């Protein structure tokens, strides 16, 4: 799940929900997460909050794809919008030109600096906002993250993750 603006966003890969813990009406507390603009990425089991956006990844029809909503508008998924391109929704995948990308196993928000994509045997980072000069860089082609929750941070901001060959720190 992800927390943004006092609400929880959750997905199981087939449906997504917005959970508002403040609402007293149970019908409004647990709503299906739908897009108001664009189309909510379907079949994404990975979700995170990052830089005022909701990030989703690994749709069942293309597990290499990632998506981010419009900044401060978690129900705007219109990736084709030309209005304020710095904050609009974006979609992408993790690959160098001409190379097949790997499925994304984990979404790891590392503060506002970067969104890390843990793949099976590689790790990528979206550094900076995709609409404001952000770049997708490869962190390693040697180690990846085995699953969506196989990572954590310590009190100093070190990222620990379980990879194919053991425990790693970044």
């Amino acid at each position: 799940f992800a927390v943004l603006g006092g609400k929880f966003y959750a997905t199981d890969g087939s449906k997504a929900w917005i959970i508002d813990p403040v609402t007293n009406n149970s019908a409004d507390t647990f709503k299906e997460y739908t897009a108001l603009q664009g189309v909510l990425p379907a079949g994404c089991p990975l979700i995170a909050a990052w830089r005022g956006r909701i990030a989703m990844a690994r749709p069942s029809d293309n597990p290499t794809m990632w998506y981010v909503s419009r900044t401060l508008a978690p129900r705007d998924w219109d990736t084709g919008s030309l209005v304020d391109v710095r904050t609009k929704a974006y979609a992408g995948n993790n690959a160098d030109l001409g190379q097949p990308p790997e499925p994304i196993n984990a979404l790891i928000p590392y503060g506002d600096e970067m969104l890390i994509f843990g793949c099976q045997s590689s790790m990528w980072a979206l550094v900076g906002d995709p609409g404001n000069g952000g770049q997708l860089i490869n962190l390693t082609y040697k180690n990846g993250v085995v699953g969506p929750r196989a990572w954590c941070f310590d009190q100093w901001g070190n990222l620990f993750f379980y990879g194919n060959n053991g425990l790693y720190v970044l």
Side-chain angles (χ1 to χ4, degrees), residues 24-43:
N24 291 327
N25 181 347
S26 63
D28 291 334
T29 302
F30 199 71
K31 288 185 175 180
E32 186 171 348
Y33 183 21
T34 57
L36 295 178
Q37 288 88 26
V39 178
L40 185 75

Side-chain angles (χ1 to χ4, degrees), residues 75-98:
R75 295 182 75 183
D76 183 346
W77 293 91
D78 185 2
T79 58
S81 173
L82 297 178
V83 178
D84 198 359
V85 275
R86 292 170 297 153
T87 63
K88 76 175 201 142
Y90 280 88
N93 69 6
N94 303 339
D96 288 335
L97 188 60

Side-chain angles (χ1 to χ4, degrees), residues 39-128:
V39 178
L40 185 75
C44 291
L46 303 176
I47 191 167
W50 178 69
R51 294 183 72 99
R53 299 175 181 264
I54 293 293
M56 297 179 83
R58 197 183 173 123
S60 54
D61 62 343
N62 187 350
T64 64
M65 290 294 297
W66 55 265
Y67 307 86
V68 292
S69 70
R70 183 179 181 91
T71 303
L72 301 177
R75 295 182 75 183
D76 183 346
W77 293 91
D78 185 2
T79 58
S81 173
L82 297 178
V83 178
D84 198 359
V85 275
R86 292 170 297 153
T87 63
K88 76 175 201 142
Y90 280 88
N93 69 6
N94 303 339
D96 288 335
L97 188 60
Q99 294 182 348
E102 291 185 288
I104 299 169
N105 289 344
L107 277 179
I108 307 168
Y110 195 86
D112 278 347
E113 296 88 31
M114 66 179 97
L115 180 62
I116 298 173
F117 304 99
C119 301
Q120 186 168 353
S121 60
S122 65
M123 292 183 71
W124 300 77
L126 181 55
V127 180

